[in-house]
Every structure is written in C-alpha cells, then in structure tokens.
Amino acid sequence: MDSATACVPHVGGGLPISLGAGLSSKYLKNGRVCISFFGDGASNQGSFHESLNLAAVLDLPVVFVCENNQFALSTPQSYSQRIQNTADRAPAYGIPGVIVDGNNVLAVYEAAVKAVSRARKGQGPTLLECKTWRYDGHFTGDTAAYKDAEEQADWLKKDPLPRYIQYLEDNHLFTAEHLQAIDARVLHEVDEAVRFAAASPLPSPESVGSDVYADMTEEVRSR
Ligand SMILES: Cc1ncc(C[n+]2csc(CCOP(=O)(O)OP(=O)(O)O)c2C)c(N)n1
Ligand SMILES: [Mg+2]
C-alpha cells in the first residue's frame, strides 16, 4: 500500500488536514488509515478539539498520535494543561484514549495495531498518547536549562533504542553482528544521500512553485 507524508509547520495544523485524508479513505473504501502525529503543545490548539470531534462524529479512519515529550518549546506540559494525560480528553469526543509508554517500541506497536484495525473496521478514530521525553533542546542553541537534571537522567535510562536492542539480543532475534551490519548499511545510505545532494545542481528559480499549487493552477489554466 502506498503512503504519503505531510509535515505542517503550524503547531496543530496537521490535525484538520488528516481528516481530509481519512474522509477520502472512507469515501473510496480503500482501507487506508491516516496517522496524525502531533505534540502535547498542539493538543491545546482549537484545531485538536475540532478535529477529534469531527473525526469521531464521522467515524473517520484516523489514528491521532500525541507524542507527549512533555515540553512545547520551553513550556512544560504541567504548565499548559490542568490534566496529566492528554488521552483523558478522548472521552469528551466519545473515542478511546489510550496511554502507552512511548519509549517502548513494542508497546507502541501493539497499541498502534489495535487503533489501526479499529479504524479499518469502520469503528472510528483513537487518540493514542505516547509518553516520552525530549532529550535535547527544542532548537540548536537551546541549552534546555528549564529541564530537571534528575528527570533527564531517569529518562536517559529509558532510551527506546538501547532498550529495544537489548530486547532483540535477549530474545536471540538479532546478534550484535546483525545490528552492526544494519548500522553500517544505514550510515552508508546517509553518506550516499549527502553525496548525491551535494553533487546535484541547485533548483532553478522558476521551479519554486512546482508541486506546490501545481494541481490547482493546472485546473484553473484549463478553464
Ligand atoms: C500555530 C503555531 N504557533 C506557534 C508556533 C511556534 N512553535 C514551534 S514548535 C512549538 C512547540 C510545539 O510543541 P509540541 O506540540 O509539544 O511539539 P514538540 O515540538 O514538543 O514535538 C511552538 C509553539 C508554531 N510553529 N505554530
Ligand atoms: Mg512536546
């Protein structure tokens, strides 16, 4: 099944757009489910509430995934919400609100599979809250002095990548050599991508509008 990714720079801006994708899947009956990612900060935007409500009313195949890293820029979630769990907002829209350890790869996978299969059966959206932590600052140069050093140290012990690697090794699903080979392959792929980008010519100024309003302008032109 093909997939598409949209990244929206307006905090909370992606949520209403995901409803369009969900509505199209429902209308076309193509079995596709839209996964809508956003942060704890975005869940305070009006667009979050409108989107969950309409998706619920229309039983849209959308999974709303709140990556709760506990900060919106420098604002802690505890400062911007009177509730501890963003998922607690789900019952207000009559949909399931599921909380999962966002640093546990398998727990996230299992919760996501349930939410996707529910959506695919026409039973509507789920709000999945993945509890996690932002390890770095929000931007280059952000020293993140507003973070508690002890909390940071505790969360570092729960880093999802080493945790999952440990799981794979403990269960003899992968050997250290397998993992090293994957690392080497990925590094090579990234190096190749950087080399390709650096060697490619710059785009022409005339192409600035390409793939931005292309469909719309074509349609308008043909009128
Ligand atoms: C509508 C809007 N308001 C403000 C900003 C500036 N801004 C960029 S990221 C950010 C914080 C977002 O926090 P959260 O939703 O928790 O996402 P995170 O970056 O933690 O994943 C803000 C306020 C923006 N991009 N869009
Ligand atoms: Mg956040």
Short mmCIF file of all heavy atoms in Angstrom, two decimals, residues 38-42 67-73 75 134 138, ligand 2:
data_model
loop_
_atom_site.label_atom_id
_atom_site.label_comp_id
_atom_site.label_asym_id
_atom_site.label_seq_id
_atom_site.Cartn_x
_atom_site.Cartn_y
_atom_site.Cartn_z
N PHE A 38 1.29 14.62 16.40
CA PHE A 38 1.38 16.00 16.91
C PHE A 38 1.92 15.94 18.34
O PHE A 38 2.06 14.85 18.91
CB PHE A 38 0.00 16.68 16.88
CG PHE A 38 -1.06 15.89 17.58
CD1 PHE A 38 -1.35 16.12 18.91
CD2 PHE A 38 -1.74 14.87 16.91
CE1 PHE A 38 -2.30 15.36 19.57
CE2 PHE A 38 -2.69 14.11 17.57
CZ PHE A 38 -2.96 14.35 18.90
N GLY A 39 2.18 17.10 18.91
CA GLY A 39 2.79 17.13 20.24
C GLY A 39 1.80 17.49 21.34
O GLY A 39 0.63 17.79 21.09
N ASP A 40 2.30 17.45 22.57
CA ASP A 40 1.48 17.82 23.73
C ASP A 40 1.02 19.27 23.61
O ASP A 40 -0.13 19.60 23.94
CB ASP A 40 2.25 17.61 25.04
CG ASP A 40 3.69 18.10 24.94
OD1 ASP A 40 4.45 17.53 24.15
OD2 ASP A 40 4.03 19.08 25.65
N GLY A 41 1.93 20.13 23.10
CA GLY A 41 1.55 21.54 22.94
C GLY A 41 0.41 21.70 21.95
O GLY A 41 -0.54 22.45 22.18
N ALA A 42 0.47 20.94 20.85
CA ALA A 42 -0.56 21.03 19.82
C ALA A 42 -1.93 20.62 20.35
O ALA A 42 -2.96 21.08 19.86
CB ALA A 42 -0.18 20.15 18.62
N GLU A 67 2.57 12.66 20.55
CA GLU A 67 3.92 12.35 21.06
C GLU A 67 4.16 13.32 22.21
O GLU A 67 4.59 14.45 22.00
CB GLU A 67 4.96 12.56 19.96
CG GLU A 67 4.84 11.56 18.82
CD GLU A 67 5.78 11.89 17.66
OE1 GLU A 67 5.80 13.03 17.21
OE2 GLU A 67 6.49 11.00 17.21
N ASN A 68 3.81 12.83 23.39
CA ASN A 68 3.92 13.72 24.56
C ASN A 68 5.35 13.68 25.11
O ASN A 68 5.67 12.85 25.95
CB ASN A 68 2.90 13.30 25.63
CG ASN A 68 2.95 14.25 26.81
OD1 ASN A 68 3.81 15.13 26.90
ND2 ASN A 68 2.03 14.07 27.74
N ASN A 69 6.16 14.61 24.61
CA ASN A 69 7.56 14.67 25.09
C ASN A 69 7.68 15.66 26.25
O ASN A 69 8.76 16.06 26.64
CB ASN A 69 8.51 15.02 23.95
CG ASN A 69 8.21 16.38 23.34
OD1 ASN A 69 7.38 17.13 23.85
ND2 ASN A 69 8.89 16.70 22.26
N GLN A 70 6.53 16.07 26.75
CA GLN A 70 6.40 16.86 27.99
C GLN A 70 6.83 18.32 27.90
O GLN A 70 6.81 19.03 28.90
CB GLN A 70 7.08 16.15 29.15
CG GLN A 70 6.51 14.73 29.27
CD GLN A 70 6.99 14.00 30.47
OE1 GLN A 70 7.08 14.57 31.54
NE2 GLN A 70 7.28 12.73 30.30
N PHE A 71 7.17 18.74 26.69
CA PHE A 71 7.52 20.15 26.51
C PHE A 71 6.98 20.67 25.19
O PHE A 71 6.99 19.95 24.18
CB PHE A 71 9.04 20.37 26.51
CG PHE A 71 9.67 20.10 27.84
CD1 PHE A 71 10.20 18.85 28.12
CD2 PHE A 71 9.69 21.08 28.82
CE1 PHE A 71 10.77 18.59 29.36
CE2 PHE A 71 10.25 20.82 30.07
CZ PHE A 71 10.79 19.57 30.34
N ALA A 72 6.52 21.90 25.21
CA ALA A 72 6.22 22.63 23.98
C ALA A 72 7.20 23.79 23.99
O ALA A 72 7.06 24.71 24.80
CB ALA A 72 4.78 23.14 23.99
N LEU A 73 8.22 23.69 23.16
CA LEU A 73 9.35 24.61 23.25
C LEU A 73 9.90 24.56 24.68
O LEU A 73 10.34 23.50 25.10
CB LEU A 73 8.90 26.03 22.86
CG LEU A 73 9.38 26.51 21.48
CD1 LEU A 73 8.59 27.68 20.98
CD2 LEU A 73 10.84 26.85 21.51
N THR A 75 7.93 25.24 27.39
CA THR A 75 6.80 25.17 28.32
C THR A 75 6.49 23.73 28.71
O THR A 75 6.14 22.92 27.85
CB THR A 75 5.53 25.79 27.66
OG1 THR A 75 5.86 27.09 27.19
CG2 THR A 75 4.38 25.87 28.64
N ARG A 134 11.75 14.73 25.71
CA ARG A 134 12.63 15.31 24.69
C ARG A 134 14.04 15.40 25.28
O ARG A 134 14.26 16.12 26.25
CB ARG A 134 12.11 16.70 24.29
CG ARG A 134 12.69 17.15 22.96
CD ARG A 134 12.30 18.57 22.65
NE ARG A 134 12.90 19.46 23.62
CZ ARG A 134 12.32 20.57 24.09
NH1 ARG A 134 11.14 20.93 23.67
NH2 ARG A 134 12.94 21.31 24.98
N HIS A 138 14.92 22.42 22.16
CA HIS A 138 13.94 22.46 21.06
C HIS A 138 14.61 22.82 19.74
O HIS A 138 14.15 22.46 18.68
CB HIS A 138 12.86 23.48 21.39
CG HIS A 138 11.79 23.59 20.34
ND1 HIS A 138 10.74 22.70 20.28
CD2 HIS A 138 11.64 24.44 19.31
CE1 HIS A 138 9.98 23.02 19.24
NE2 HIS A 138 10.50 24.08 18.65
MG MG B 2 6.01 18.48 23.02
#
